[in-house]
Amino acid sequence: DVKVTQSSRYLVKRTGEKVFLECVQDMDHENMFWYRQDPGLGLRLIYFSYDVKMKEKGDIPEGYSVSREKKERFSLILESASTNQTSMYLCASSLLAGANYGYTFGSGTRLTVV
Amino acid sequence: DQQVKQNSPSLSVQEGRISILNCDYTNSMFDYFLWYKKYPAEGPTFLISISSIKDKNEDGRFTVFLNKSAKHLSLHIVPSQPGDSAVYFCAASVSRLGGSQGNLIFGKGTKLSVKP
């Protein structure tokens, strides 16, 4: 089974801090994604990547950046954390194609910015 | 504009009865549909999928129905169990030239509560 591991389950950070959220997958998936989930708003795509050193903006990239130096690792960076970035952050990975295409999600990181 | 819509934010069902979760889409190019289930403080997990060449796919208590002409799909859970209480997300994607699959587009989710 594919495993997507997010480094932290819960984080509390101060406003203005630089925050790193790490995600690692172990099945050689090409695609990796970062989402945030908020009540009533569903899953909103922040950034995604199809390959190493590649990144594409999703629907809500403002205030975030990403890094993909290795195929298995995709990092989300909050350049200067703000209280409106308090959310559940979900990382996912997938193959580029396949008969059973779908995403495998990590367990999520609940980030609170105070 | 939302391409995948789940118009019911919540649904409450009695244990043992049928749960029906609905999803509508606007993009006629979507050709692959999935349902994910999410418990609080966990990531979504894949539940069931259906290709546009089919109109029904069944897996145990879970059945997904696809009505392409109405651009509508539904997830039926029979019988519903308290452990099914979760948020359910509908998702859709488009096949690309060359065989790759486009990004999944998610609905906003429906919170299902199954009461004992």
Side-chain angles (χ1 to χ4, degrees):
Chain A
D1 275 355
V2 177
K3 193 170 180 183
V4 178
T5 303
Q6 294 184 231
S7 53
S8 304
R9 291 298 300 270
Y10 300 95
L11 274 179
V12 180
K13 297 291 181 180
R14 293 193 181 278
T15 301
E17 274 193 80
K18 191 169 186 176
V19 181
F20 294 86
L21 303 183
E22 305 288 345
C23 175
V24 177
Q25 49 95 4
D26 65 0
M27 279 296 287
D28 205 34
H29 280 180
E30 296 93 349
N31 298 338
M32 295 190 77
F33 307 85
W34 275 106
Y35 286 87
R36 63 179 281 178
Q37 185 202 3
D38 302 286
L41 298 178
L43 299 171
R44 293 185 291 168
L45 182 62
I46 305 171
Y47 267 96
F48 61 100
S49 169
Y50 291 133
D51 202 350
V52 176
K53 303 222 187 256
M54 231 221 69
K55 60 184 179 185
E56 296 280 348
K57 292 180 180 179
D59 300 318
I60 52 163
E62 296 78 19
Y64 303 94
S65 63
V66 289
S67 171
R68 194 165 181 199
E69 296 297 318
K70 294 184 178 182
K71 191 174 185 179
E72 67 270 17
R73 185 180 296 269
F74 192 36
S75 302
L76 179 70
I77 303 152
L78 285 66
E79 298 291 343
S80 176
S82 63
T83 54
N84 64 13
Q85 292 178 310
T86 292
S87 185
M88 166 72 97
Y89 288 87
L90 294 160
C91 176
S93 73
S94 76
L95 290 167
L96 204 56
N100 296 311
Y101 178 79
Y103 294 177
T104 300
F105 283 88
S107 297
T109 297
R110 170 69 66 183
L111 173 67
T112 302
V113 182
V114 297
Chain B
D1 193 26
Q2 272 191 280
Q3 296 186 68
V4 177
K5 298 177 185 179
Q6 294 177 257
N7 292 319
S8 299
S10 63
L11 175 67
S12 183
V13 171
Q14 206 67 32
E15 181 179 6
R17 307 293 285 267
I18 185 171
S19 295
I20 300 176
L21 295 98
N22 293 304
C23 179
D24 297 296
Y25 60 96
T26 57
N27 188 345
S28 58
M29 299 298 291
F30 285 144
D31 57 4
Y32 194 62
F33 304 88
L34 307 90
W35 285 93
Y36 283 82
K37 175 180 178 179
K38 185 183 183 301
Y39 293 118
E42 293 183 14
T45 55
F46 169 75
L47 192 57
I48 193 168
S49 64
I50 188 167
S51 163
S52 61
I53 62 173
K54 294 185 175 182
D55 54 19
K56 177 183 174 182
N57 188 25
E58 193 172 351
D59 183 2
R61 296 186 297 114
F62 303 92
T63 303
V64 56
F65 295 92
L66 176 62
N67 181 335
K68 288 186 288 293
S69 60
K71 296 192 182 67
H72 177 83
L73 66 156
S74 59
L75 174 68
H76 291 212
I77 307 173
V78 184
S80 302
Q81 299 173 354
D84 296 328
S85 298
V87 176
Y88 290 79
F89 291 99
C90 171
S93 71
V94 178
S95 297
R96 291 176 172 160
L97 291 174
S100 68
Q101 203 74 19
N103 288 352
L104 288 179
I105 308 299
F106 287 89
K108 291 188 175 182
T110 296
K111 184 176 182 180
L112 173 66
S113 300
V114 180
K115 298 182 177 179

